Amino acid sequence: MQSVSELLTAQCREALVAAFGPSFQETDPLLMPTNQPKFGDYQANVALSLAKPLKQAPRAIAAQIVDHLAVDHLSEAPTIAGPGFINFKLTPEFLAQQLQQLQQHPRLGIDSVSDPQKIIVDFSSPNIAKEMHVGHLRSTIIGDSIARVLEFLGHEVLRLNHVGDWGTQFGMLITYLREACPEALIQADAVDLGDLVTFYKRAKERFDRDEAFREAAREEVVKLQAGERDTLRAWTILCDQSRREFDKIYQRLDIKLQERGESFYNPLLPNLVELLRQQQLLVEDQGAQCVFLEGFQNKAGNSQPLIVQKSDGGYNYATTDLAALQYRIQDDGADRIIYVTDAGQANHFAQVFQVARRAKLIPDTVEVVHVPFGLVQGEDGKKLKTRSGETIRLRDLLDEAVERARADFLERLRTDDRQESEAFINQVAQVMGLGAVKYADLSQNRTSNYIFSYDKMLALQGNTAPYMIYAYVRVQGISRKGNIDLSNLRSQLSIVLTDETELILAKHLLQLQDTLKTVAQDLMPNRLCQYLFELSQKFNQFYDRCPVLSAEDSVKASRLLLCDLTARTIKLGLSLLGISVVERL
Ligand code: ARG
């Protein structure tokens, strides 16, 4: 279905062509929703931008556009305000008719895009044998939501987990594995290596202390590079163990990801370096192969190098990302590649993208974009830690959110003097707790740091998951109480909008599509959260003013449809954030 802004944009373009000629066919009418009712519902600012090229006063231009506008079927007569803004006020009949279409549409008015892209979302991407920390959690939550929105819009999305599963640290880990758990190498499944983070720490201790150990570790690196059987086996054991831990988190959070770690690109690295050489980008500097970067200077004001091959012949993080970029474009056929990591990696990606461009690896038709996010902080504004000062394990963090959600719900049951089954209480606790963690993250502008607070994220008031889930249940409950099975009647019932709060709600319901398109473009899921939050507020204003169940039959049916549409919109919106709902509470 065309959205209201698309319909208006099309009308404005026709008027521009009729008034000023065919060359204005593609002119952007600069249409946007207004937030002040006195300016109507939408405003077009194109007249101001045309003043120069047309050499006319903006108000005069606006008048000519208005003269040629044919919008009777959707808006009242457009008016001109201020220096030349064109204002549209949608008619109640048009809004009702749009909602009618919306509620019969299986995807709430949103058609799949006609030109689907192949989009890679590179997210989560923890490192083997290291802890998956809150930064990875942010990447996981944000990346998943971006992927969900793009998938829903009809794009072909490849969700890639670029795990750190290769590098010199494996020499140390494998040496330690041989030393500490030799039985693991004989029968892998018989051994549980326990907490790999502790394992890593112990291995590091040995490495730092003992020269013979370091030597053994260096040999293991060489053997790993050479693909020696025993060493590869040890490497696989370590990766499998980590993977099992990561998968538990993904399963809990309902995250789908395809693992394609750094090791995947390892065989491609020599050719990648060779290609850079052929493009004459390589310079040898103290034995290392480098590309000198444009626009990145060191303190002395000299151009900074990006090392792609170390003097010992080894490769690094950037080399792998260059090879990955090439593979994703040439083999996966990606049109757009999205990297979700903390803002601390902004330079890394800017440098990798620059070198890739200079090596002509990125065609003009392909968009590569780093989606940065801020730090997760404790309530004291410092790095998130446990009370005893240790880093928080993700498992524990999720457990605690669920536990607290359960306590909140039990408290509510006690006050209402209600009994519920253990299974139901568990379900509510999961949905609320995990939803709260996700929503708290997604509702922030991702570029800012975000303060992790269980109390805030689980609050029933404010822009939180519990608030949205309660809103959903309440709205859904009204339709249920209405005792009308809307699914069979959708095409027969008609919507009539009279009260101002109904009109406001209707307009907002009709903006879901524009909101999702914006999210797909600027990759800011907080806009969807904001949309949902405003939706529930507008719904509340409507529900305060307009009786639903006690209204006379035709009005009742129309209002029940508004309730139903609101509930469906919240449910769909939350699902695109990776958050599920319950049907009652
Ligand atoms: N493993 C990296 C980290 O933990 C993130 C990888 C992000 N993706 C990429 N293609 N570089 O910081």
Side-chain angles (χ1 to χ4, degrees), residues 122 125-127 136 162 164 317 321 328 339 341 345 348-349:
D122 172 325
S125 309
N127 302 316
H136 295 123
H162 190 82
Y317 188 48
D321 257 325
R328 290 165 181 188
Y339 298 82
T341 78
Q345 298 199 30
H348 163 75
F349 285 108

Side-chain angles (χ1 to χ4, degrees), residues 113 128 187 235 251 265 288 302 359 462 468 479 486 536 538 573:
V113 287
I128 298 290
Q187 202 184 359
W235 172 78
Q251 239 168 36
Y265 305 99
N302 299 323
M468 289 308 312
S479 328
L486 292 167
S536 67
K538 288 177 177 169

